[in-house]
Amino acid sequence: MNLDQETLLLASLGDLQQNQMTGAMDKLRALLKEQPDFKLAQLIYADLMAAQVGTISSMGNNDQTDQKALQGLISEARARMSVDRYKPKSDTIPGSLLQMSPNQKHVIVVDTNLSRLYLFENHEGVPKLIRDYYVSYGRGGVDKRVRGDLKTPLGVYFTTGRLTDEQLPPRYGSGALPINYPNAWDQRLGNTGSGIWVHGSPKDTFSRAPQASEGCLSLSNNHFTELDRIVDLGETPVLIGTGFEWLDEANWKQKQKAFNQVVDSWRKDWESRNTETYLSHYSEEFNNGEIGFKRFADHKRRVNSNKSFINVDIENLSIYQHPDNPDLFIATFTQNYKSDNYSNSSVKRQYWINEAGRWRIAYEGEPQKGKP
């Protein structure tokens, strides 16, 4: 029986709900033969063996597991069983995933409420769901703010490379994809901590309870290996949230167009050399980590006054909305700037905030590899 381990587990739980004990036992035996370290499957199988006959009313009846481990396994079962109930409709797209750039082949979306990681592929600009996996996150919950709080951060992040099995302690499993926490916005908020990764599971464990890591996102090793083979080692976006709005393609394209217009309006107003109109796209709370709005505005007024023309071209634009804060979105692009006395090409990342219904830039800077 060549089925994914989770498919077999869910099929066995479905048999249990129908009181089809033989079918459940057969599937669990096949599952444990294929994956003998799958502790949740071990627990359910042991319960069935102990029950012999009748309907199983609760997990852990055989009293062979300590309560902390048992509760973790029960939570894992609930998370896995919720897959079909809350599975997004076919051909829908998370509303936070607004635009993939042409050079971004994949996007990772993590819904911590469902303990689920979704992998999207770029199909000529339209994200298509190609994989989804059970995932464990931080023991302290979510919304990381402080080093050592054991929480998983929420927001828009990017992978910064790869750590191999040989570089890691056994608890990280078959490898890791570090992400850029704390990013520029986290640093602005004063959030601390580091070392947040997407990684495998301990070598002696197939999977973990929904909240079992120290803040990272942990998959089973076979799923991490599959994910690792697919995604790029560079800047793959990672969106982490507690719940996502899923849109059909028509509504998604309409929303995408609106956010594209926000960025393009900023670009056009810069080209117009009407500096005050251009500066109206910036929040008075603007700070790039070095200067605030007043010094930034004074600099732009001085520089732009000497220009006879300004051309700004944007390439490889990506736009992602914060999953848990719809009043924040992140735009990243290659900016090709040219004027009568200066030309430059650079990668720019902007954090836009909604101020009383108007989108304004609160941060912009040039991201560096391995950094926010």
Side-chain angles (χ1 to χ4, degrees):
M1 187 178 297
N2 188 21
L3 292 175
D4 178 84
Q5 289 94 339
E6 185 171 54
T7 303
L8 274 172
L9 177 68
L10 294 176
S12 69
L13 292 173
D15 285 346
L16 274 180
Q17 289 177 333
Q18 300 295 321
N19 204 27
Q20 296 176 4
M21 307 293 282
T22 301
M25 293 285 282
D26 289 345
K27 291 179 178 64
L28 287 166
R29 272 193 290 266
L31 175 54
L32 289 171
K33 182 178 179 181
E34 183 178 338
Q35 198 69 51
D37 58 350
F38 198 161
K39 293 181 180 179
L40 177 57
Q42 292 173 0
L43 175 68
I44 300 171
Y45 186 73
D47 273 349
L48 292 178
M49 291 290 289
Q52 299 293 322
V53 293
T55 303
I56 299 298
S57 58
S58 63
M59 291 174 58
N61 286 346
N62 60 3
D63 203 27
Q64 296 294 310
T65 311
D66 70 77
Q67 285 302 305
K68 184 177 179 180
L70 175 61
Q71 289 306 312
L73 291 167
I74 291 173
S75 296
E76 180 183 346
R78 287 173 177 161
R80 290 179 181 275
M81 291 176 70
S82 70
V83 172
D84 288 334
R85 192 183 317 159
Y86 299 108
K87 190 172 184 178
K89 292 181 180 178
S90 177
D91 297 326
T92 57
I93 303 167
S96 299
L97 199 170
L98 286 166
Q99 178 155 319
M100 301 173 70
S101 75
N103 58 9
Q104 289 171 337
K105 304 305 180 186
H106 299 93
V107 172
I108 293 170
V109 173
V110 179
D111 187 331
T112 58
N113 272 359
L114 299 179
S115 296
R116 210 75 192 165
L117 183 153
Y118 300 94
L119 180 63
F120 287 85
E121 189 170 71
N122 191 343
H123 282 231
E124 297 181 348
V126 179
K128 297 294 183 183
L129 180 62
I130 60 169
R131 299 284 194 282
D132 65 283
Y133 308 114
Y134 169 78
V135 67
S136 178
Y137 58 97
R139 293 202 300 273
V142 296
D143 199 15
K144 184 174 185 63
R145 299 294 176 91
V146 181
R147 181 183 300 276
D149 61 10
L150 303 179
K151 293 184 177 182
T152 296
L154 300 174
V156 176
Y157 299 95
F158 299 85
T159 60
T160 61
R162 186 182 189 280
L163 298 172
T164 63
D165 188 355
E166 294 75 16
Q167 295 173 286
L168 297 168
R171 69 177 181 274
Y172 295 108
S174 55
L177 300 171
I179 65 173
N180 69 325
Y181 175 88
N183 62 25
W185 197 253
D186 293 315
Q187 293 178 38
R188 179 182 173 125
L189 296 176
N191 296 345
T192 59
S194 60
I196 302 298
W197 304 341
V198 181
H199 62 75
S201 293
K203 295 293 180 67
D204 61 348
T205 303
F206 173 69
S207 63
R208 310 169 77 182
Q211 292 180 234
S213 80
E214 296 183 359
C216 295
L217 298 163
S218 175
L219 292 80
S220 64
N221 286 317
N222 64 330
H223 285 166
F224 175 81
T225 300
E226 182 177 74
L227 177 74
D228 188 34
R229 282 199 302 261
I230 297 172
V231 302
D232 300 326
L233 299 185
E235 287 207 341
T236 296
V238 181
L239 280 58
I240 310 172
T242 60
F244 289 82
E245 175 192 28
W246 293 78
L247 303 175
D248 61 41
E249 189 172 327
N251 284 311
W252 173 78
K253 284 185 174 179
Q254 185 177 0
K255 185 176 181 181
Q256 181 193 64
K257 182 179 179 181
F259 278 79
N260 266 271
Q261 288 173 344
V262 170
V263 177
D264 197 49
S265 178
W266 161 82
R267 182 193 65 80
K268 288 177 178 176
D269 286 340
W270 192 2
E271 285 188 331
S272 76
R273 292 184 296 125
N274 184 331
T275 302
E276 297 311 311
T277 302
Y278 162 69
L279 288 173
S280 71
H281 292 278
Y282 289 82
S283 168
E284 291 189 4
E285 301 299 317
F286 173 86
N287 193 304
N288 65 7
E290 296 178 358
I291 60 173
F293 175 74
K294 186 178 185 306
R295 286 180 59 191
F296 174 82
D298 289 345
H299 170 73
K300 288 297 183 181
R301 290 186 183 107
R302 185 172 62 254
V303 170
N304 289 357
S305 65
N306 297 321
K307 307 291 186 184
S308 60
F309 76 90
I310 295 174
N311 288 333
V312 182
D313 180 57
I314 288 177
E315 297 178 315
N316 297 321
L317 173 65
S318 70
I319 302 176
Y320 301 104
Q321 196 171 19
H322 191 297
D324 279 62
N325 180 5
D327 291 328
L328 174 66
F329 79 84
I330 297 89
T332 307
F333 49 87
T334 300
Q335 175 183 290
N336 301 310
Y337 175 93
K338 187 175 182 180
S339 67
D340 49 325
N341 58 2
Y342 182 73
S343 63
N344 175 260
S345 180
S346 62
V347 178
K348 180 171 284 187
R349 181 162 293 155
Q350 298 176 329
Y351 287 76
W352 293 70
I353 58 174
N354 188 341
E355 293 183 330
R358 171 77 188 270
W359 287 105
R360 291 188 171 93
I361 301 165
Y363 169 92
E364 71 179 21
E366 187 172 342
Q368 297 176 357
K369 186 176 181 181
K371 296 183 179 181

